[in-house]
Amino acid sequence: MRSRVNTCVGRITAVVLLFAAVLIADGRIAQAQPALAPRDGYGFAVGAPMTWISDMEADRELDAVARTGATWLRVFVDWSRAEPMPGAYDWGYLDHWIDGAVARGLKVLAMVSYTPEWARAPGSYFSAPPVEPALFASFLTTLVKRYGDRVSSWEVWNEPNVPLFFGYLDDRAARYTELLKAAYPAIKGVQPHSTVLAAGMSRAFAPDAPPTFVEAMYALGAAGFFDAMAMHPYVYPAGLGVDDHNGWSDVERVRRLMVDNGDGAKKIWMTEIGAPTAAATPGGVSQQEQARQITDVLARAAHTDYSGPVFIYSIRDIDTADETDDQDNFGALLTSDWQPKATAEVLAR
């Protein structure tokens, strides 16, 4: 999760038509050749801003999603915010986002991350794992009991393969596998037919590369503790099929690992894709290129029988005016002052 602190093939039985973005002379987006969306649908992810924007802003973002063909919303469950003290809960922002998504006909994927201060090692960062995985499992039990009538898909943590999102630890794969082994039975104990995802993996190079991390997870016995894998195949700045900096290419490597470990029947959900429109940064792209990269990845997922839902990060820019900060400019549908971006036109239904 990026935050301020990121001709149909025979095996596809159902597809949704999108329009691929093409740039024409005056800089507008034309609705041109049809592209495919994953048969399990696509949606949007918001990330950390969910926890601080107003209810009115949340509703405007949800309305923007409803104007597209999206069928999913990835909701960030900030454990540190939801349980600031042991057994004391604050569900405010989660109630609003989850109820708002359901009211608009969107299915919810709940991604749970960030450890409260009372549950992590003294002096550690909030993205560090809890000292005791059982504390996380207890929170998940409470969480699923509360939202299990509206949510049945759960993603256990976010990008644990990189230090920023799982603490600067030498044994991240081992610590994450312990967490997953505690989380899975806690969720299934309340909601047996739920779908539990292993955390979305950030694109990274060795030793943090997703294939390296996933291979270690399997060696540590993770196979029986998730129903689907998650990946974050960002392909900016060059785009899909050029030099994706271990974006989609790592999806294919992880898929081979899953097959080799007997998990060929499990899908890979792409829980973040996208690109920043920050012109003054090395990875920044134009709005038109952002739209092209998003539709390219949606189409690639549609052509793979192992792809689950795909989530575009994110809905709205945090600060469009700041072109020097790529993390502020991942919005796909809206600028920070609520102007529609190119992808909004491409994905409009």
Side-chain angles (χ1 to χ4, degrees):
M1 175 184 56
R2 300 299 190 271
S3 68
R4 194 176 179 93
V5 276
N6 128 27
T7 1
C8 176
V9 294
R11 62 188 176 214
I12 300 175
T13 59
V15 297
V16 179
L17 288 177
L18 296 173
F19 291 107
V22 294
L23 181 62
I24 58 178
D26 65 355
R28 292 173 56 81
I29 292 291
Q31 292 179 336
Q33 63 190 52
L36 298 173
R39 61 181 176 184
D40 290 340
Y42 75 91
F44 287 84
V46 178
M50 276 186 166
T51 68
W52 72 66
I53 67 175
S54 69
D55 288 352
M56 182 184 69
E57 291 175 308
D59 287 339
R60 292 183 71 177
E61 292 198 16
L62 285 165
D63 288 341
V65 172
R67 290 191 289 269
T68 73
T71 55
W72 285 90
L73 184 73
R74 182 184 186 233
V75 172
F76 169 40
V77 180
D78 182 347
W79 178 23
S80 69
R81 177 78 175 266
E83 192 182 11
M85 296 295 292
Y89 301 102
D90 179 358
W91 306 110
Y93 86 92
L94 287 170
D95 283 350
H96 192 85
W97 278 98
I98 291 173
D99 290 345
V102 172
R104 290 165 176 81
L106 301 171
K107 292 172 283 189
V108 173
L109 167 64
M111 186 281 289
V112 192
S113 190
Y114 290 2
T115 307
E117 185 175 6
W118 57 266
R120 63 181 191 261
S124 62
Y125 196 53
F126 57 79
S127 64
V131 174
E132 295 293 339
L135 297 173
F136 185 58
S138 177
F139 172 71
L140 288 173
T141 297
T142 301
L143 179 73
V144 180
K145 284 180 179 178
R146 181 175 182 85
Y147 294 112
D149 61 333
R150 288 156 283 176
V151 182
S152 60
S153 300
W154 311 89
E155 185 177 1
V156 181
W157 219 263
N158 177 73
E159 299 187 349
N161 63 310
V162 292
L164 179 62
F165 290 111
F166 205 61
Y168 291 82
L169 309 170
D170 294 330
D171 58 346
R172 288 195 302 281
R175 293 287 297 276
Y176 178 68
T177 302
E178 289 177 1
L179 201 65
L180 191 61
K181 287 180 175 181
Y184 190 81
I187 295 169
K188 293 291 187 174
V190 180
Q191 195 179 51
H193 300 297
S194 58
T195 300
V196 179
L197 278 65
M201 300 292 167
S202 173
R203 70 178 185 183
F205 296 99
D208 297 328
T212 305
F213 197 88
V214 171
E215 186 174 28
M217 286 173 56
Y218 274 117
L220 291 160
F225 294 92
F226 62 93
D227 302 313
M229 184 66 69
M231 291 285 288
H232 293 172
Y234 290 95
V235 298
Y236 69 90
L240 187 65
V242 181
D243 178 10
D244 69 9
H245 291 275
N246 291 46
W248 190 273
S249 57
D250 267 356
V251 171
E252 294 173 340
R253 295 182 185 102
V254 167
R255 173 61 181 174
R256 287 194 293 271
L257 282 169
M258 293 171 67
V259 171
D260 291 345
N261 283 276
D263 275 345
K266 296 178 181 179
K267 291 190 175 183
I268 301 178
W269 294 36
M270 317 304 167
T271 54
E272 287 183 27
I273 69 167
T277 53
T281 65
V285 300
S286 68
Q287 287 192 26
Q288 290 75 23
E289 177 63 15
Q290 181 192 51
R292 185 184 71 83
Q293 291 189 14
I294 287 170
T295 53
D296 279 354
V297 174
L298 288 172
R300 177 63 64 86
H303 283 283
T304 58
D305 57 5
Y306 59 78
S307 291
V310 179
F311 294 79
I312 300 163
Y313 180 81
S314 61
I315 300 171
R316 181 168 67 110
D317 288 345
I318 295 173
D319 185 2
T320 307
D322 186 0
E323 295 186 340
T324 66
D325 190 337
D326 60 355
Q327 300 305 308
D328 281 354
N329 288 275
F330 271 90
L333 299 182
L334 298 165
T335 63
S336 55
D337 59 350
W338 305 100
Q339 298 304 305
K341 297 180 77 171
T343 303
E345 184 174 351
V346 173
L347 298 182
R349 60 178 179 178

